[in-house]
Amino acid sequence: MKRLMTAACALAMGLGVSAAEAQEGELTLCWAAWDPANALQELGKDFTQKTGIEMNYEFVPWTSFADRFLNELNSQGKLCDLMIGDSQWLGLGAEFGHYVQLNDFFEQEGISMDDFLPAGVYNYATWPKGSENYWALPAMGDAVGYVYRKDWFAMPEIREAFQAEYGRELAPPETWDELLETAKFFQGREIDGQTRYGIALYTERGSEGITMGVTNALYAWDVEYDNPDQPYEMEGYFNSEAAVEALEAYKELYECCTPPGHSDAYMVDNLDAYKSGQTAMQMNFFAFFPGIAKDEAVGGEVSGFFVNPSAKTEASVLGGQGISVVSYSDNKDDALEYIKWFAQPDVQQRWWDLGGYSVHKAVLEDPGFVDSQPFAGQFLEAMSNVRDFWQEPTYAELLQSMQRHMHDYIVADQGTAQEALDATIEDWDFTFESVGKK
């Protein structure tokens, strides 16, 4: 036995096994349970092979994602070594000490934020916003886009009927007026012997769904949350005439053109409605588009993709997240090793190839990127003009208020758009005053 152990040690030394290759350890990465998480799990096998560090994963559904992992952070739990948390969590993670600040590590390892898309760095890495204080590495670029039944749009009888009704060719909508017309055209229309509907929208009340839906309209109408020159001054901005018009447009689209029972719908509900052939279009995050492109029922030439239509400007709702090292982890050195590995251009390219969404310039600026996936060009366009909800430590309270007032107006048909916006501002004023920001 002694001779065998000696021989084994000699073999390891003689073959030049590096310290990284011989390293042993375990990490747990926490994220949501969705298609990109499966891609990340596959990617993680490369990290384990290179470092010897085993990767464990804690993936939970989006509906319980925030509750599950914010509770973990607030209780200073040790489950998660690495956290892919929402962009809104950066302020909370930084100010309450949940995340490790990465500036010194980035400098030590030669990791430059200049190598990533500016919108990705701003939204997924910094706190305060726009500063050079980094609390995450941009991990998962994402935005809200749209999928449409390309095969239905190409049917001669459908195209002829649309031309007769609206005086223009049927094409992916470029404006909100065109989105409404297209959804109305398909609502209740019989195609291949089945009744179809216009569009699957976000209407969910419990977490963030209807806010992520409504802001597609608000941003397209160029609505600001507050005065750019006077932070937290919201009167005349979030409840402006443009905001009222945008909110009324979203309500009209919901009332006229969604499938039956679509009053509390978010990502998975929209996917189900579209994949089952109920709707001509769906609103959803780009993160789901690789799965759609490969789906047996709606993949290939059946589906096409387009960005959020414009109204007064071009803008898209931000999704996506950065990856952070949890400060309560007992494995911070190994977690930082993962960050270093994940930041490499070749790893970022493989991340994109597997179905993740890199915002590394080496990937996005490659001449072949736009043609690498049927939605790649739209993703790049969307990421160039993304906007996000409040990235504040108190974002959860701000979000709950908006969820309630938007759902009451749009789905429950209570009050007016102006009243819903005014009530939201009133709640937000209280929240900001309670933390001394007003």
Side-chain angles (χ1 to χ4, degrees):
M1 178 64 70
K2 183 177 180 180
R3 285 197 302 271
L4 287 172
M5 292 177 63
T6 302
C9 292
L11 180 61
M13 294 175 62
L15 291 177
V17 177
S18 70
E21 289 170 332
Q23 186 173 350
E24 294 181 359
E26 290 188 12
L27 291 173
T28 297
L29 188 154
C30 297
W31 199 15
W34 59 334
D35 288 350
N38 299 329
L40 190 71
Q41 193 167 3
E42 182 65 27
L43 183 69
K45 294 176 182 178
D46 296 346
F47 174 74
T48 298
Q49 184 176 13
K50 180 176 181 179
T51 65
I53 300 172
E54 292 292 332
M55 293 300 298
N56 302 308
Y57 301 92
E58 188 72 15
F59 297 149
V60 301
W62 277 112
T63 50
S64 54
F65 172 73
D67 287 343
R68 175 70 180 87
F69 290 133
L70 288 177
N71 285 338
E72 181 69 21
L73 293 175
N74 290 330
S75 65
Q76 301 185 12
K78 294 182 178 293
L79 169 66
C80 308
D81 301 301
L82 292 158
M83 177 77 75
I84 301 184
D86 265 346
S87 54
Q88 282 81 21
W89 297 10
L90 285 171
L92 181 148
E95 294 194 10
F96 289 92
H98 299 322
Y99 291 164
V100 173
Q101 188 168 358
L102 298 174
N103 289 61
D104 291 343
F105 175 73
F106 285 168
E107 184 175 356
Q108 173 188 325
E109 298 296 339
I111 299 171
S112 174
M113 291 296 97
D114 291 338
D115 292 336
F116 293 83
L117 196 70
V121 175
Y122 178 88
N123 288 294
Y124 304 143
T126 65
W127 184 264
K129 302 316 300 174
S131 72
E132 294 186 355
N133 296 316
Y134 305 121
W135 303 90
L137 181 83
M140 174 70 190
D142 202 6
V144 173
Y146 298 75
V147 189
Y148 72 99
R149 286 297 299 256
K150 191 175 179 180
D151 57 338
W152 296 353
F153 277 51
M155 290 179 174
E157 64 274 21
I158 293 291
R159 298 182 65 79
E160 183 178 343
F162 186 88
Q163 177 77 44
E165 187 167 351
Y166 292 105
R168 63 180 178 88
E169 289 190 359
L170 177 60
E174 295 183 359
T175 69
W176 270 76
D177 285 343
E178 291 179 359
L179 181 65
L180 182 61
E181 287 179 353
T182 306
K184 285 181 175 179
F185 174 78
F186 280 103
Q187 185 73 3
R189 184 170 294 274
E190 185 174 300
I191 300 176
D192 295 333
Q194 296 185 43
T195 300
R196 316 294 183 170
Y197 302 93
I199 187 167
L201 293 178
Y202 290 163
T203 59
E204 180 262 0
R205 177 168 179 159
S207 61
E208 63 176 19
I210 199 164
T211 298
M212 294 298 100
V214 164
T215 46
N216 284 279
L218 292 171
Y219 298 159
W221 263 262
D222 205 19
V223 174
E224 301 279 358
Y225 286 100
D226 57 357
N227 183 344
D229 300 318
Q230 189 65 43
Y232 310 112
E233 179 185 293
M234 295 166 285
E235 188 68 34
Y237 290 86
F238 189 71
N239 60 351
S240 64
E241 289 183 8
V244 170
E245 187 176 332
L247 197 54
E248 289 175 342
Y250 197 85
K251 180 179 173 67
E252 182 179 5
L253 190 60
Y254 163 71
E255 290 182 335
C256 79
C257 306
T258 52
H262 212 70
S263 60
D264 192 30
Y266 199 16
M267 296 177 281
V268 174
D269 306 283
N270 282 11
L271 284 171
D272 290 345
Y274 181 79
K275 288 183 177 182
S276 64
Q278 292 184 60
T279 63
M281 299 177 288
Q282 69 153 324
M283 165 189 288
N284 228 321
F285 285 103
F286 274 86
F288 295 105
F289 292 3
I292 291 171
K294 298 174 184 177
D295 188 89
E296 291 183 2
V298 296
E301 290 301 309
V302 173
S303 292
F305 307 90
F306 62 96
V307 298
N308 189 41
S310 65
K312 297 181 182 299
T313 191
E314 296 178 355
S316 298
V317 170
L318 180 82
Q321 303 86 23
I323 182 169
S324 300
V325 176
V326 178
S327 63
Y328 314 115
S329 166
D330 292 329
N331 306 299
K332 285 193 278 290
D333 287 344
D334 286 349
L336 289 168
E337 185 71 19
Y338 184 94
I339 297 285
K340 176 183 175 181
W341 169 81
F342 189 71
Q344 298 174 78
D346 61 329
V347 176
Q348 289 287 303
Q349 180 62 56
R350 179 154 166 75
W351 174 222
W352 169 256
D353 293 341
L354 287 170
Y357 280 80
S358 173
V359 291
H360 198 290
K361 290 179 181 178
V363 178
L364 302 180
E365 295 177 357
D366 185 278
F369 177 79
V370 171
D371 296 323
S372 64
Q373 293 284 0
F375 44 80
Q378 289 82 8
F379 170 68
L380 197 57
E381 182 181 350
M383 287 301 299
S384 70
N385 56 32
V386 287
R387 301 189 188 186
D388 200 13
F389 187 71
W390 293 105
Q391 289 192 3
E392 293 278 337
T394 54
Y395 95 94
E397 295 176 36
L398 303 170
L399 181 61
Q400 288 169 6
S401 296
M402 186 164 177
Q403 282 285 110
R404 181 174 67 256
H405 294 303
M406 296 303 103
H407 199 276
D408 284 351
Y409 167 65
I410 293 166
V411 177
D413 198 25
Q414 298 177 11
T416 66
Q418 188 71 65
E419 289 169 343
L421 294 164
D422 291 345
T424 303
I425 288 180
E426 185 177 351
D427 286 353
W428 287 353
D429 278 335
F430 177 83
T431 297
F432 287 129
E433 288 168 2
S434 69
V435 294
K437 292 195 172 183
K438 286 204 72 174

